[in-house]
Amino acid sequence: MNRCLTDLCNLLDLEPLEDNLFRGESRDLGGRSVFGGQVISQALVAATRTVDAQLPHSLHAYFLRPGDMEVPIVYEVDRVRDGRSFTTRRVQAIQHGQPILSLMASFQRPEAGFEHQMPMPPVPTAAQLGDQRQQRLKWLEDEVARNPAFPERLRIAFTREQAFEFAWVDASDPFQPQPGPPQQGIWFRAAGRLPDDPMLHRCVLAYASDFNLASTALIPHARSWFSADMIVASIDHALWFHRDMRVDDWLFYAMDTPTAQSVRGMSRGLIYDQQGRLVASAAQECLMRPIKPT
C-alpha cells in the first residue's frame, strides 16, 4: 500500500464525536474545493458506522456547497429506518454550520435471487494498455511550455503520487482536448493491497467512482477539467453496488454521456471486474458552464 492509499484509508477512519456524529479531514487534490468522492465516501462510512450485518447497496447524494479543504467536515447521521431486509440512513456533511452534501444510503442483508447483467464491452486489458504515466507527464510538459503561467498547484496535483492507478483505453491530452464520441473507458485500481473488508472496498469504490465521470460530458465539446473557459462541478452522484468486488484489483469503468443541456451534463457508468462481472453502476449530473469573456 503506497503512502497516498494509506492516507486515504486514514481519511475514511472517521473520528466519532457522539452518537450518530462523526468528523473527517480533507486533502487537496488540486481542485477548487474538497473532492466530491471524498465527501461521498466519508458520508457512506458515517452511515455504515450505525448499521449492523448489512452492506450498502445504493447511495444518492447532492452536492450543496463547495467544501473547504482547510476545515474538518462533520457528518450527522439520521437513522431513518431499520428493517429486517433493508436499512436506510440520511447523512448531512456540515462545514461552517451549513450542509455541503446531503446523502441517502440504503443497506441490505445478503439475499439470493434472480441474476442478469449487461455484458462488459470488449476492451484491451490494463496490462495491454501499459503504463501511461510518461505520456501524461509529456502532455503536462508541453502545456507548461505553451503556458508559462500554468498554476503550480495544478502541476503538483497532476504529478503527485496517487491512491489509485489508471489506464485509459483511448488516452487523450487533457490540456489540448479534441471533440470525441460521448463515451470513455478507464481501468482503475487502488495502488496497493487493502484489508479483506467488503465494507471498506465499497467505501473506497464510492471514492473512486467520482474520478472521470463528470469529465465524460465534456468530451463531445472539446473541454476538460483544465479548460480555463469552463466552470465544472458535480451537482449530484448516485451509486449502486451490485456484487462484492476488490478495489485493489483492476476494475473497468465504462462511461457515457447521453445528454447535456441548460449548462448541465449527464454521465453514466458501469463498473466491471476483470472477469466481466458488473459490480456497480453510477450516474452523475455536473455543472458545465462556459465562462463569458469579460
Side-chain angles (χ1 to χ4, degrees), residues 33-159:
S33 58
V34 175
F35 173 55
Q38 176 204 303
V39 190
I40 290 171
S41 58
Q42 287 181 327
L44 182 59
V45 169
T48 66
R49 296 280 180 87
T50 69
V51 176
D52 293 322
Q54 293 178 322
L55 289 171
H57 72 86
S58 68
L59 63 85
H60 300 258
Y62 277 95
F63 297 99
L64 305 176
R65 294 176 177 85
D68 183 346
M69 289 178 277
E70 302 301 321
V71 176
I73 305 172
V74 173
Y75 294 90
E76 183 178 23
V77 182
D78 179 10
R79 302 185 185 221
V80 177
R81 179 178 183 270
D82 289 292
R84 288 192 297 270
S85 297
F86 292 90
T87 291
T88 306
R89 294 290 185 263
R90 179 187 296 113
V91 184
Q92 296 275 81
I94 301 167
Q95 279 187 324
H96 303 296
Q98 294 183 312
I100 64 171
L101 173 129
S102 182
L103 176 143
M104 292 284 288
S106 183
F107 298 75
Q108 182 188 16
R109 294 186 185 278
E111 206 172 340
F114 295 115
E115 287 206 17
H116 72 271
Q117 68 163 72
M118 293 287 290
M120 179 176 168
V123 294
T125 66
Q128 289 170 332
L129 292 171
D131 187 354
Q132 300 172 350
R133 179 173 173 78
Q134 292 306 314
Q135 176 61 72
R136 296 183 66 76
L137 291 176
K138 180 63 166 59
W139 286 331
L140 174 62
E141 179 184 320
D142 292 343
E143 177 63 16
V144 171
R146 284 189 297 266
N147 177 18
F150 187 83
E152 177 65 12
R153 65 186 298 270
L154 290 183
R155 188 195 65 78
I156 293 173
F158 197 81
T159 57

Side-chain angles (χ1 to χ4, degrees), residues 93-259:
I94 301 167
Q95 279 187 324
H96 303 296
Q98 294 183 312
I100 64 171
L101 173 129
S102 182
L103 176 143
M104 292 284 288
S106 183
F107 298 75
Q108 182 188 16
R109 294 186 185 278
E111 206 172 340
F114 295 115
E115 287 206 17
H116 72 271
Q117 68 163 72
M118 293 287 290
M120 179 176 168
V123 294
T125 66
Q128 289 170 332
L129 292 171
D131 187 354
Q132 300 172 350
R133 179 173 173 78
Q134 292 306 314
Q135 176 61 72
R136 296 183 66 76
L137 291 176
K138 180 63 166 59
W139 286 331
L140 174 62
E141 179 184 320
D142 292 343
E143 177 63 16
V144 171
R146 284 189 297 266
N147 177 18
F150 187 83
E152 177 65 12
R153 65 186 298 270
L154 290 183
R155 188 195 65 78
I156 293 173
F158 197 81
T159 57
R160 69 158 58 104
E161 184 181 47
Q162 293 183 303
F164 296 90
E165 301 173 43
F166 298 95
W168 281 256
V169 171
D170 293 304
S172 60
D173 187 344
F175 305 108
Q176 296 289 309
Q178 301 298 316
Q183 61 191 41
Q184 64 175 334
I186 300 173
W187 289 96
F188 70 94
R189 69 176 176 186
R193 201 67 175 170
L194 291 168
D196 298 331
D197 178 357
M199 191 76 80
L200 175 63
H201 284 264
R202 294 193 184 207
C203 292
V204 174
L205 181 65
Y207 182 98
S209 68
D210 195 34
F211 281 120
N212 303 298
L213 188 56
S215 66
T216 309
L218 300 173
I219 294 173
H221 309 283
R223 297 293 192 277
S224 80
W225 282 100
F226 296 97
S227 297
D229 62 346
M230 294 290 297
I231 297 175
V232 183
S234 300
I235 298 172
D236 61 6
H237 191 92
L239 182 62
W240 296 264
F241 303 99
H242 307 310
R243 296 169 177 87
D244 283 337
M245 84 299 292
R246 292 199 64 96
V247 187
D248 48 12
D249 289 335
W250 284 110
L251 298 172
F252 182 70
Y253 209 166
M255 293 166 277
D256 68 12
T257 173
T259 183

